[in-house]
Amino acid sequence: MTTMGAGMDGQAGRRRSALLAATTLAAALALTGCGAGDSGAQDTAGKAAEAPAANGGEAGRDAAAGAPEGAGAGAPDLQVDQRAIIYTGKMRVQVDNVDSAAREAAAVATQAGGFIGGDQRRSADADAVAELELRVPAAKFTVVVEEIAKLGRQQSRQIDTQDVTEETVDLEARITSQRARVESARRLLSRATSITDLVSLENELGRREADLASLEAKKRRLADLTALSTITVSLAGPAAKDTEEEAETGFLVGLRGGWKAFVVSMTVLLTVLGALLPWLVALGVPLAALLVVLRRRRKSPALVAPVSAPPPVPATRSAP
């Protein structure tokens, strides 16, 4: 009995030992798998984090390479298409036929979306000159100028620009503020309870509305000047002078000017004399005859008075 109990106890101990070893091995394997999984997850997460970082770095380098030098987050935007610029041009072109060239210039402006603001013609011969004022969209300004220059031989060109961006922004701010003042005056007017307040608020509202209308008119004027550019075109015929005569000085210039003035004066004098000559003949001949008659009458002999004898001389008395 004792021997059998001892054998059973030994078998039970070996079973417990085997179970404990199996449990320990399973726990060790589980810990090893979790560690490997965590390491793999960390590696994967690290690679995933490194990839966007690398992409972001490359994108940042590309953006930095494509951005203009000196540009930053706070740098002002100086693009031309976002600014308010007034373009004005003045040019002179010599053409063979002024009327035909004027029609072509008007067609160029019309096709570009503009119109003719003014048209002045002088003479119809070879020295004819046409002055055209063209209003064209600012985007087509350069194209229209180049097209007009091809109508003949360009003699002069002057292009001016005026940046009114700051003036436009300031005007917008003033209009916004003035509109708020107008609305405030209207609210106060609606709450007026006396005739005095009503009259005072109406006057103030009228003044504010007038100021607002003036500001809006300035805004429309600036918008018109920036939207439509002005080109003044002079189309000159073949015999027209291409440049204005420069002022000259000197003795010969003065002599030539004096001679011209003398000739002009003599011409005027002879013209006046020719105009007065018929009157002088018609009135002068009778007047001259009358003067002759009057002179002859003055020279006619007067009546001769009789000569009286001289008074007698008293005799001298002799001395005693």
Side-chain angles (χ1 to χ4, degrees):
M1 294 290 296
T2 304
T3 303
M4 292 176 62
M8 292 175 65
D9 292 338
Q11 291 179 358
R14 285 194 295 272
R15 288 177 181 175
R16 286 195 297 271
S17 298
L19 181 59
L20 180 60
T23 303
T24 303
L25 180 60
L29 292 175
L31 292 175
T32 303
C34 291
D38 293 340
S39 299
Q42 292 177 358
D43 293 340
T44 304
K47 292 179 181 179
E50 290 175 1
N55 295 334
E58 293 175 358
R61 286 192 297 271
D62 294 340
E69 184 178 358
D77 190 356
L78 300 178
Q79 294 182 4
V80 176
D81 57 352
Q82 296 182 355
R83 305 192 68 85
I85 300 177
I86 299 175
Y87 295 92
T88 55
K90 185 178 181 181
M91 57 191 307
R92 181 184 176 94
V93 182
Q94 188 176 34
V95 296
D96 296 333
N97 191 325
V98 173
D99 293 335
S100 177
R103 288 192 295 269
E104 293 181 8
V108 170
T110 305
Q111 291 175 0
F115 59 91
I116 301 176
D119 187 348
Q120 296 181 359
R121 309 289 178 93
R122 184 173 68 250
S123 180
D125 301 328
D127 60 344
V129 177
E131 298 282 346
L132 301 179
E133 181 179 339
L134 307 179
R135 301 296 307 280
V136 298
K140 301 293 185 63
F141 177 80
T142 305
V143 177
V144 173
V145 169
E146 295 297 335
E147 289 294 331
I148 294 176
K150 297 177 181 178
L151 297 178
R153 185 172 66 87
Q154 180 178 265
Q155 295 179 339
S156 64
R157 178 191 296 189
Q158 180 180 353
I159 305 297
D160 297 324
T161 59
Q162 181 182 1
D163 192 345
V164 293
T165 304
E166 295 182 0
E167 185 176 355
T168 303
V169 173
D170 178 69
L171 196 57
E172 287 285 353
R174 292 173 61 187
I175 289 176
T176 302
S177 176
Q178 191 65 24
R179 284 176 179 170
R181 297 183 62 190
V182 169
E183 292 298 328
S184 176
R186 288 175 179 173
R187 288 194 298 269
L188 292 176
L189 181 62
S190 63
R191 301 173 186 173
T193 57
S194 64
I195 300 298
T196 304
D197 295 342
L198 183 63
V199 173
S200 176
L201 289 174
E202 284 181 347
N203 293 334
E204 180 64 19
L205 178 60
R207 186 180 63 82
R208 293 184 180 184
E209 288 178 343
D211 294 340
L212 178 60
S214 176
L215 293 175
E216 290 178 342
K218 291 181 180 179
K219 178 184 176 182
R220 289 192 297 270
R221 176 61 178 169
L222 280 179
D224 177 70
L225 292 175
T226 54
L228 294 175
S229 302
T230 304
I231 306 175
T232 304
V233 182
S234 298
L235 301 173
K241 297 180 180 180
D242 55 351
T243 56
E244 297 182 357
E245 296 181 356
E246 299 180 356
E248 298 180 357
T249 58
F251 175 76
L252 295 178
V253 176
L255 181 61
R256 186 165 55 250
W259 175 254
K260 289 181 179 180
F262 174 76
V263 171
V264 172
S265 301
M266 291 302 298
T267 303
V268 174
L269 180 61
L270 293 176
T271 302
V272 174
L273 182 60
L276 294 178
L277 185 59
W279 296 93
L280 293 176
V281 173
L283 298 178
V285 172
L287 183 61
L290 180 61
L291 291 176
V292 170
V293 171
L294 292 177
R295 284 183 180 182
R296 286 180 179 180
R297 286 184 178 181
R298 289 179 181 178
K299 291 180 180 181
S300 61
L303 296 177
V304 179
V307 179
S308 60
V313 178
T316 59
R317 180 180 296 182
S318 61

